[in-house]
Every structure is written in C-alpha cells, then in structure tokens.
Amino acid sequence: MVKPDWKNSILNVSATLSQFLGNSNDIPKIDILRNVLDKGYDTVVYICFDGLGMYPLQQNLPQDSFLRRHVASTITSVFPSTTTNATTTLKSATYPSQHGLFGWSLYFDELKRCIDIYWSQDSYTEQPISSSVLDDYMKCDFYFDSIKSDYTVTTIFPPYITRQGNNYNYQSMDEMFSLLESVTRQNGKNFIYCYCGQPDSTMHEFGVTSKEAQEKIIYINDKVEELAKSMKNGVVIITPDHGQTDITDHIKLYEDEELKQSLRTPFYLEARAVAFRVKDEDAFLKAVSKYQNDATLYKVSDMVKDNFFGPSSERISMLGDYILVMNDNEKQFVFSQRHMLFKGHHTGLSEKEMLLPLVIVECK
C-alpha cells in the first residue's frame, strides 16, 4: 500500500508550477521539474490524462514508446486516489484536507444525504440537489487564476468544465490536440493547462488491460509525440490524477444488513475506499470483519495523524469515523443496485492506483 508522498506527489507538481507562475507557497517543490522550468521556455504545456498511472502506461505501451521514454520520475497520487480529490488538488495546488473534495460521494449533515458532488445529485436516488450548502462547499480557486508573471494562461477543458478567461472547450480528443497545437503557436509566453478524461473512462468500461484501453493509450502517446515535435522553445509536462486496476469481482455492500444496522448514514466516498459513520462501534467492528481478507480498515483519526490528507482541518469530518480500503486486488465495493459495475477502477492505496509518471518533454 502506498501513502501519498507530500514531497513527491501531484500536489508538488502543481505547487512547482504555481511558484513558477509567481505564486509563492510553502509546499515542497519537485526539483527535476523546477530545473526545467528555470530554463525559461516560452511555452509551458501541462496536461492531465485521467487515469494514466504507471501501471496502465506499462501495461499498454512498450518501454521504448514516446511517453515511457520521457518519464522523468515516479510520483504519487492523493488519497482517495480518485478524480474529484486528485484533479481538485491539481488545479488548486492545495491538500485534500484543505479543499475537502475527498471522493465522488460525500455525506452532508445539513442535507442528511450522500451527494455525488460533481453531478449535484443524491448518491442513491440520483435526484438533483440544489443547495447553497453544496455550492459553498464546492468553491475552489484555480492556482493559475492569480498569477504574477508575464505568461498568458489558457485552459483547454471538456464541455462540463468552465472557466472565466482564456478557455477552450473541446468535444473530441482530436479537437483537444488541435487546440493544444494552435495555442502553442501563439506569440509571447504561454502557459496552457489541459485536462483530458481519457483513458480513465475507457478503462472503467473495458478494463486496464483491454484492447480498447491499449488503443486509446497508443493514440495518446502518438498525439503527444506529434504535439511535441510541432513545438519550439517549449516544454510539455504530463501527469495523470491517479492510476487504475482491473476489476473482476464486485462485493455488494447493500446486501449486508448487519453492517448497515451499525451505521448512522449510508455508505459513501468511493468504490475501493468506503467511508462509514458509526452508530454502534462494537456491532460495526464485528460486521465489517467479514471483509478483512479483501480490505484494510483504517480509523480516520489515525489516518489524519499519519498525514494521509495533509494538515488537519474542519473538512476532515466529511470522512466519517472509518475508511475501508481495498487491498491490492481486483475488487470493487457496490453501495446500491444503482451503483455502476466497472471493469477498471481506482480510489485505493495500491501501487496500481497510486504510482504515477511525471512526463517531461523539452522541445527546443
């Protein structure tokens, strides 16, 4: 199991980029990245390819492929290793404990509901939720919106992510790469932040080691090589937000009445990292013990002491009392009959989910 390394993680990548853009911060920087940025390239491109951890990369590309040749170092994701948590860390350059968007589903005491925070819907009924409580909780600033440098910032996002300023939204990956190439040709100094939901969505549907995932990752590899070859006096920096592992078995927690009776709220957080708010601790510990061969139970207070989330904060309370984390296996917990059954997933602490490449391509 791999803990977040707060000196060598996606947070430190963003902290290094943020300082490069003139925002001083006390988060440790990544020297290999800082040294490249110090060369003063006119164009700096950062791309997050969702889910493209070391394991998917190594499973689907040969060692001499473009992306693998340019892996500068191995870094860690955050925990839970999931998109809500990790991409928020990447865009804000803040610890999970500070932004608090720990997982796909969070329980809000004020609403008495588990909410899928990105879709603003009840996690169990899928009913839309409109609430100032949720709106206030979701507020989070991009680190590149308060820069003090002579770089012009441009963002390239899928249609469901909006931003004021120089922002482009794309409908396809071909369009995304076309936009990237177009912006890199602009005069002056340019910083480009791009997010791509692939290969994560393909791996969810078909699995990490599927031919569909391999085709998508080969496509990414080839298009990044084309982009880099088209650039002059620039650098392309790539990380994922997390990795993925194949899933071959699903554990239906919603059928466990003994466990449900010991809790104050429904299950929430993530499919390989389940959060519990406990009503009867003795009954809970007895009920949850049946999963000890598949998962490890952590007390949230112990995880806070062990610095899994960053500095302690009020938002830690969103994580409840305990988190049950899948071991290095191919299993997913299922919270309800509505819960999707994926063939590839993440959110846990295994190497396949936590270890990530930091790709740096210098274009001279």
Side-chain angles (χ1 to χ4, degrees):
M1 308 295 269
V2 178
K3 270 181 59 178
D5 181 348
W6 298 127
K7 294 182 178 179
N8 189 47
S9 72
I10 55 173
L11 170 65
N12 307 97
V13 171
S14 288
T16 306
L17 290 170
S18 182
Q19 180 151 302
F20 166 72
L21 292 172
N23 299 327
S24 62
N25 61 82
D26 58 4
I27 297 169
K29 313 304 182 295
I30 294 182
D31 287 340
I32 193 170
L33 177 57
R34 180 165 52 185
N35 291 340
V36 169
L37 293 170
D38 284 346
K39 295 180 182 180
Y41 287 112
D42 287 339
T43 303
V44 178
V45 179
Y46 169 77
I47 312 173
C48 172
F49 287 107
D50 198 314
L52 192 57
M54 288 299 298
Y55 178 66
L57 197 70
Q58 292 168 347
Q59 287 296 303
N60 291 291
L61 289 178
Q63 192 169 355
D64 63 351
S65 62
F66 185 78
L67 286 178
R68 289 190 64 182
R69 289 202 318 270
H70 288 91
V71 174
S73 68
T74 301
I75 60 176
T76 75
S77 185
V78 294
F79 177 75
S81 51
T82 188
T83 300
T84 54
N85 193 20
T87 58
T88 307
T89 295
L90 279 168
K91 73 181 185 182
S92 66
T94 57
Y95 291 92
S97 60
Q98 294 171 326
H99 62 68
L101 306 190
F102 298 108
W104 188 259
S105 173
L106 295 178
Y107 183 83
F108 289 82
D109 282 316
E110 302 92 332
L111 305 176
K112 305 299 180 189
R113 289 184 174 200
C114 299
I115 308 294
D116 292 345
I117 56 174
Y118 267 15
W119 299 144
S120 298
Q121 68 180 20
D122 187 292
S123 302
Y124 285 83
T125 68
E126 298 181 3
Q127 175 187 355
I129 302 295
S130 178
S131 165
S132 60
V133 171
L134 185 58
D135 292 342
D136 289 344
Y137 192 84
M138 293 294 292
K139 287 178 181 175
C140 187
D141 295 327
F142 296 104
Y143 68 80
F144 40 77
D145 277 346
S146 57
I147 67 167
K148 305 176 183 69
S149 83
D150 53 356
Y151 280 81
T152 298
V153 174
T154 301
T155 48
I156 300 175
F157 288 137
Y160 52 85
I161 301 177
T162 59
R163 171 183 169 265
Q164 299 297 318
N166 296 327
N167 179 64
Y168 297 94
N169 291 107
Y170 60 87
Q171 298 293 331
S172 67
M173 290 184 71
D174 279 341
E175 185 181 4
M176 183 194 82
F177 279 107
S178 178
L179 285 167
L180 278 165
E181 187 169 342
S182 175
V183 177
T184 60
R185 289 177 176 171
Q186 293 178 355
N187 293 328
K189 292 192 171 185
N190 293 287
F191 176 85
I192 303 158
Y193 186 105
C194 178
Y195 167 79
C196 178
Q198 292 286 0
D200 185 72
S201 57
T202 297
M203 295 190 297
H204 276 310
E205 185 176 0
F206 298 104
V208 176
T209 53
S210 66
K211 66 178 180 61
E212 291 86 354
Q214 185 175 54
E215 289 170 357
K216 191 69 68 175
I217 292 170
I218 289 172
Y219 168 86
I220 290 170
N221 176 81
D222 294 348
K223 294 298 284 186
V224 169
E225 184 172 11
E226 287 179 20
L227 173 68
K229 287 180 177 178
S230 74
M231 290 173 56
K232 302 296 182 185
N233 194 31
V235 59
V236 179
I237 301 151
I238 294 170
T239 73
D241 50 350
H242 54 72
Q244 263 210 42
T245 186
D246 283 310
I247 299 295
T248 59
D249 191 17
H250 302 87
I251 298 176
K252 299 175 181 177
L253 285 183
Y254 63 86
E255 295 181 348
D256 191 336
E257 293 298 329
E258 180 189 21
L259 181 58
K260 288 194 288 187
Q261 289 300 316
S262 71
L263 303 175
R264 294 185 286 120
T265 71
F267 313 117
Y268 68 98
L269 199 61
E270 286 289 353
R272 285 175 55 83
V274 189
F276 304 103
R277 298 192 178 204
V278 176
K279 176 174 61 179
D280 183 333
E281 189 160 40
D282 290 340
F284 167 75
L285 292 174
K286 178 177 178 293
V288 81
S289 65
K290 65 175 69 73
Y291 304 107
Q292 63 186 358
N293 292 331
D294 292 316
T296 301
L297 184 67
Y298 293 87
K299 206 165 188 174
V300 170
S301 58
D302 291 337
M303 299 187 91
V304 172
K305 291 175 185 175
D306 288 342
N307 202 24
F308 274 80
F309 312 107
S312 184
S313 74
E314 290 182 1
R315 293 202 162 189
I316 292 290
S317 65
M318 298 297 284
L319 292 168
D321 303 307
Y322 288 90
I323 300 178
L324 185 64
V325 184
M326 279 291 190
N327 297 330
D328 186 7
N329 55 31
E330 297 185 344
K331 297 185 179 184
Q332 170 193 343
F333 286 118
V334 186
F335 298 175
S336 77
Q337 290 178 310
R338 292 176 181 268
H339 204 157
M340 295 184 69
L341 307 182
F342 288 121
K343 292 185 178 179
H345 219 323
H346 48 91
T347 79
L349 287 164
S350 73
E351 290 187 354
K352 295 175 182 177
E353 298 157 284
M354 289 292 294
L355 294 184
L356 316 178
L358 169 58
V359 174
I360 301 175
V361 185
E362 296 183 69
C363 313
K364 300 179 180 178

